[in-house]
Amino acid sequence: MSAHDLVLDTALPKHINTMQDAVVIDGVSKIFKKSRPLVRWSGKGQEVKEKKLEVRAVDNVSLVVKRREIVGILGANGSGKSTLIRILSTLLIPDSGHVSIFGYDVEKDERMVQRLINRVSVEASFFKKLSPMENLIYAARLYNMPGPQARIRIREILIRLGIQPERIDRPLENMSRGMQQKVAIARAFLTAPIVLLLDEPTTGLDPRSKIDVQNFIRELREEHDATILITTHDMDEAEALCDRVAIIDQGRIIALGTVEELKYAVQERMERTTPITMNEVFMHYTVAHLITDAAIKQYGSWEKAFEAFEADKEDE
Amino acid sequence: MFTLMHEGRAAYAFFERNWNLTKRYWAWEVVWLVYNTVNAMSVTYIGASAQIITGIKFDTSSLILYLLIGTTVWSYLSVTFEGVTDMVTFERWEGTIEHTFMAPISRFTHLVGSCWYAIAHGLLFTFLQLLIVSAFFHLDLSQANYLTAVFMLLIGSISFIGFGIGASVLPLLYTERGTQMSYIVRAILLLVSGVYYPIEVLPAWMQPLARISPATYVLDGLRAGLQHNKAIWSPEIWSYTWPLLITGVVSVPLGVYIFGMAERYAKRTGKLKRNG
C-alpha cells in the first residue's frame, strides 16, 4: 500500500497554481519579549536591560521552497527552527516580513493556508485518555472528512505505520512515546497536506520506526506531490531525506544548499582532503568558527572551549 | 454548501470529542455529580429548617422549592460555564490547542461546537441532580409548568455561553491560573443574580448588576413557571424572555469577538505554546 492510497482527497482549492513556489519566506523576524518585573527602576543601564528582555527568535529569514522539494532546517536547540515552523503553521504572527504558501499569505489568508498545510510537532499532543482512533477521527472531521471513510483510512494508515490493530481503540496514554509520535505523524498524513511541516518528527523513535517514517515521507512526496519542510537534529536523516538543507543559528539562516554543496564548501574552507560529514558541516557553521585559537589555548582543548562557549550562550 | 458541510462536520467533531472525553473520565463525572448534589441538598435543608431557625411556624414547602430552583440553576450555570471554559483549559493541559487552532475552521464553529455539548451535558447533569435532591424533600409541584422551566433554561443557555466564551479568554492567556481567574465571573453572577435570595435585599448600587445578569431572568422565569404555573406565552414569562434574548444576541458575538482578539494577541506573543 502506498502513501497515495492512504491519504484522502480533501477537495483542495482548484485555483491553486501548483507551478509557483510552494513556500516563500521573505525577511521574516520574530522577537519575543520576556515578562517585565512589576516594579521597574529607571536609570542607567535600563536600555541594556530592556534589550536583554527581548529574544530575537527569528532574524530576517528568507527562504524559497519549490513544489515537491524536501528542505531540512538544521539548528541547535533554541536556534529558531520551531518558531519558524510555527509561523508557517499560522500559530505565530511574525513581527516583520511575509510568508506565503502557494501564493496565500499566512496572516491574511489564514484559513486557506490551513487547508493546505499540516504539522507534526516534536511533542505528540493528543487527548491521552482517548484512543488513536478517537483522536484521529476528531482531526479528520476538522479537516472535512466524512466519518465512515475516515475510519477506514485511519485504520489503514496506522497499521501501515506499525501500530498494532488491537492498540488502535485503546487509550493513547498506554502507548510509548515513539508510538504516540507515529500516531501524530498519521494525523498529519491523513489530511493530505500539500505542504507538510515536520518539527523533529522522528525524535524519540527507534531506528526502525525512523526508517518507516522516512520512507513514508518520501512516498508522500513522490506519490502525493507534497512539499516538505523538516527540522531535525539527526544529520543522517537530513542527508537521507533532504534535497536542500538550511542551517539556522540564533534565528538566522547561515548556510543553504544541497548536502553536497555544503560539504564541499566546508571542505574547501577547512582545506581538507578527506571527506566531510554532515556533523562536521553543522559544527562548522554553528559553532566551530566561533571557537578561537585563544579560547582553545585558554581552556586546554577544543571540547572544553566549546563547553565554555555554550555556557556563555546560556547565560546570555 | 461545501463550507456549510465542513463547518457542520467540525462542530460535530467537538461534540463527539467531548462525549468521548466524558466517557473516559466517567469517574470524575460521578465525583462532580455527588459534589453538586450534596451542595444542593445542604442549601435546600436551610429551607427545611427555617421553622426551627426562626421559631415561627409557617409552610416551608415554598421556601424549599425556591432554594431548590436556585441550586438547580446554579448547578446548570456552573456545569455549562465550566464546559465552555474547560475547552481551552483542557486543550492547554493536553497540548492539543495548537492543533485545534491550526484546523481550517472558523472560530465561531470551534466555540459553538464545544458549547453545544456543554448545554446537552449541563441539562442531563442538572436533571440527574434534581431527581436525586427531590427524593429528599416533600415538594409541592402542583403549580409547576415544566415546559416553561425547560424553555427558560434553554433561552438562558445562550447568554451563559456568551459569558463562558468571554471568560475562556482567561485560560487562553494565563496558562497556570486562567481557569481559577474565570471563577470570578461565576462568583459575581452567584452574588448578584438572586440565586438563593431575592435581588431586592442587595444594596442599591449592586442591583443594576443583577439587571444585566442573565441568571436573574432565568431564575425569575423558572420560579414563575414552577411555583406559579406561568405559561411560556404569558406576559410575565415574556418579561423575562426578551432581556435574555437581547443578552444572548449581544453576548455570544461579543464573546467570540473578544476570544478572536485574545487569540490574535496569543499568536503575536507566542502564548499558544504550552511550555514557553
Side-chain angles (χ1 to χ4, degrees):
Chain A
M1 197 180 316
S2 70
H4 188 259
D5 298 326
L6 293 171
V7 292
L8 286 172
D9 289 328
T10 49
L12 287 173
K14 302 261 186 306
H15 50 276
I16 290 255
N17 179 5
T18 48
M19 298 307 288
Q20 68 187 128
D21 295 325
V23 179
V24 178
I25 303 169
D26 180 19
V28 164
S29 294
K30 184 74 204 167
I31 298 170
F32 292 116
K33 291 183 173 67
K34 291 181 183 170
S35 53
R36 292 177 165 79
L38 279 175
V39 181
R40 287 160 66 188
W41 302 99
S42 58
K44 237 180 168 182
Q46 185 60 28
E47 208 173 300
V48 179
K49 280 181 191 164
E50 292 280 325
K51 278 268 176 211
K52 281 198 170 183
L53 287 172
E54 288 185 357
V55 177
R56 193 170 279 271
V58 175
D59 191 1
N60 196 22
V61 164
S62 295
L63 175 69
V64 174
V65 182
K66 301 271 178 213
R67 185 173 174 245
R68 295 186 86 251
E69 206 176 10
I70 301 180
V71 172
I73 302 173
L74 309 182
N77 291 329
S79 57
K81 305 186 297 290
S82 296
T83 302
L84 193 59
I85 292 286
R86 278 197 166 82
I87 290 171
L88 291 166
S89 309
T90 72
L91 295 169
L92 268 178
I93 299 171
D95 295 328
S96 59
H98 297 280
V99 179
S100 64
I101 309 277
F102 282 105
Y104 290 99
D105 188 276
V106 291
E107 202 182 335
K108 289 184 198 130
D109 312 307
E110 186 185 76
R111 192 90 63 82
M112 180 59 80
V113 168
Q114 287 169 339
R115 286 175 68 186
L116 305 178
I117 62 165
N118 212 321
R119 159 178 173 259
V120 177
S121 61
V122 64
E123 62 280 307
S125 306
F126 287 107
F127 296 96
K128 300 285 193 303
K129 283 268 181 208
L130 300 188
S131 67
M133 177 59 82
E134 287 165 339
N135 272 290
L136 265 58
I137 199 79
Y138 164 62
R141 289 194 205 279
L142 291 186
Y143 283 80
N144 197 25
M145 294 180 192
Q149 204 183 342
R151 275 178 207 283
I152 296 167
R153 299 289 187 183
I154 289 165
R155 207 165 278 283
E156 285 172 349
I157 202 167
L158 285 174
I159 291 170
R160 165 73 172 75
L161 281 169
I163 307 288
Q164 293 164 330
E166 63 271 21
R167 306 293 297 269
I168 293 174
D169 295 306
R170 288 194 206 151
L172 255 155
E173 63 184 358
N174 300 328
M175 284 181 152
S176 66
R177 193 184 125 48
M179 284 289 178
Q180 290 185 18
Q181 191 63 2
K182 282 188 175 183
V183 179
I185 289 161
R187 177 171 60 188
F189 289 168
L190 181 70
T191 62
I194 58 170
V195 175
L196 187 58
L197 307 164
L198 303 169
D199 193 2
E200 299 178 40
T202 56
T203 301
L205 296 190
D206 60 67
R208 189 185 171 145
S209 300
K210 269 190 183 187
I211 290 168
D212 281 347
V213 171
Q214 287 167 10
N215 286 338
F216 208 80
I217 291 170
R218 273 193 214 97
E219 283 180 36
L220 205 68
R221 188 262 293 271
E222 294 309 321
E223 299 183 34
H224 188 62
D225 292 339
T227 306
I228 296 160
L229 252 88
I230 178 169
T231 74
T232 182
H233 290 297
D234 186 335
M235 298 300 141
D236 293 335
E237 183 168 84
E239 198 163 355
L241 270 181
C242 302
D243 301 316
R244 281 191 303 152
V245 165
I247 297 177
I248 188 166
D249 189 42
Q250 296 185 332
R252 285 170 175 264
I253 290 182
I254 51 171
L256 176 66
T258 64
V259 166
E260 291 313 315
E261 282 168 358
L262 293 181
K263 279 182 175 177
Y264 181 75
V266 173
Q267 196 172 16
E268 287 281 292
R269 278 189 205 174
M270 293 173 83
E271 297 175 354
R272 280 251 306 257
T273 49
T274 51
I276 293 268
T277 65
M278 265 313 278
N279 266 322
E280 287 173 312
V281 170
F282 180 74
M283 292 301 280
H284 172 81
Y285 279 113
T286 52
V287 285
H289 64 292
L290 298 170
I291 310 295
T292 59
D293 288 340
I296 296 168
K297 206 171 173 184
Q298 184 188 346
Y299 293 102
S301 69
W302 190 91
E303 283 75 18
K304 284 186 179 161
F306 172 66
E307 276 173 24
F309 173 79
E310 287 286 283
D312 283 350
K313 243 173 75 172
E314 288 280 316
D315 287 345
E316 278 173 30
Chain B
M1 187 64 192
F2 174 79
T3 308
L4 263 183
M5 193 186 284
H6 183 183
E7 299 294 328
R9 268 194 192 123
Y12 179 68
F14 291 105
F15 189 95
E16 185 183 46
R17 180 201 70 184
N18 291 354
W19 167 238
N20 285 332
L21 285 169
T22 303
K23 281 192 293 181
R24 300 277 183 186
Y25 286 99
W26 66 268
W28 171 242
E29 293 293 324
V30 173
V31 169
W32 195 228
L33 181 64
V34 170
Y35 173 78
N36 269 307
T37 305
V38 170
N39 263 346
M41 285 171 68
S42 307
V43 172
T44 315
Y45 270 119
I46 297 170
S49 61
Q51 284 189 43
I52 303 166
I53 295 169
T54 58
I56 301 165
K57 279 204 176 286
F58 66 99
D59 181 14
T60 55
S61 58
S62 112
L63 181 58
I64 289 172
L65 190 56
Y66 186 94
L67 289 173
L68 188 63
I69 292 167
T71 59
T72 305
V73 170
W74 179 240
S75 182
Y76 176 67
L77 190 147
S78 301
V79 173
T80 312
F81 201 86
E82 193 145 306
V84 180
T85 49
D86 260 9
M87 72 192 170
V88 172
T89 309
F90 203 73
E91 292 228 47
R92 270 216 175 275
W93 171 258
E94 293 280 31
T96 54
I97 195 156
E98 287 193 328
H99 186 261
T100 302
F101 274 60
M102 258 182 68
I105 53 164
S106 73
R107 201 53 61 220
F108 183 80
T109 302
H110 172 199
L111 297 169
V112 171
S114 298
C115 296
W116 178 29
Y117 181 79
I119 292 175
H121 178 239
L123 281 175
L124 181 66
F125 194 95
T126 310
F127 176 72
L128 282 174
Q129 181 192 309
L130 191 60
L131 217 60
I132 299 166
V133 178
S134 303
F136 286 83
F137 300 94
H138 172 71
L139 301 174
D140 177 15
L141 292 170
S142 56
Q143 294 295 306
N145 187 321
Y146 296 106
L147 197 64
T148 301
V150 174
F151 173 76
M152 291 310 298
L153 273 183
L154 288 176
I155 288 284
S157 301
I158 304 168
S159 307
F160 293 165
I161 281 169
F163 278 64
I165 290 172
S168 62
V169 160
L170 294 166
L172 181 71
L173 297 182
Y174 306 100
T175 316
E176 290 86 6
R177 290 277 171 245
T179 307
Q180 287 81 348
M181 287 159 82
S182 72
Y183 291 163
I184 194 75
V185 181
R186 272 199 288 167
I188 292 169
L189 288 177
L190 175 67
L191 176 69
V192 303
S193 306
V195 177
Y196 302 129
Y197 42 79
I199 58 167
E200 286 74 19
V201 301
L202 293 170
W205 65 267
M206 224 184 253
Q207 289 188 26
L209 288 176
R211 290 287 154 223
I212 55 167
S213 163
T216 306
Y217 301 100
V218 173
L219 283 157
D220 285 348
L222 269 173
R223 283 174 178 140
L226 290 175
Q227 292 188 299
H228 308 296
N229 193 21
K230 296 291 177 190
I232 295 174
W233 45 86
S234 66
E236 192 174 344
I237 294 298
W238 172 243
S239 71
Y240 305 130
T241 305
W242 70 259
L244 282 174
L245 286 173
I246 291 172
T247 321
V249 164
V250 172
S251 68
V252 173
L254 187 65
V256 174
Y257 177 72
I258 291 170
F259 195 93
M261 287 206 311
E263 178 185 347
R264 199 167 164 76
Y265 174 76
K267 285 182 175 178
R268 280 213 175 279
T269 53
K271 282 185 183 288
L272 281 185
K273 192 184 169 192
R274 184 175 47 161
N275 48 352

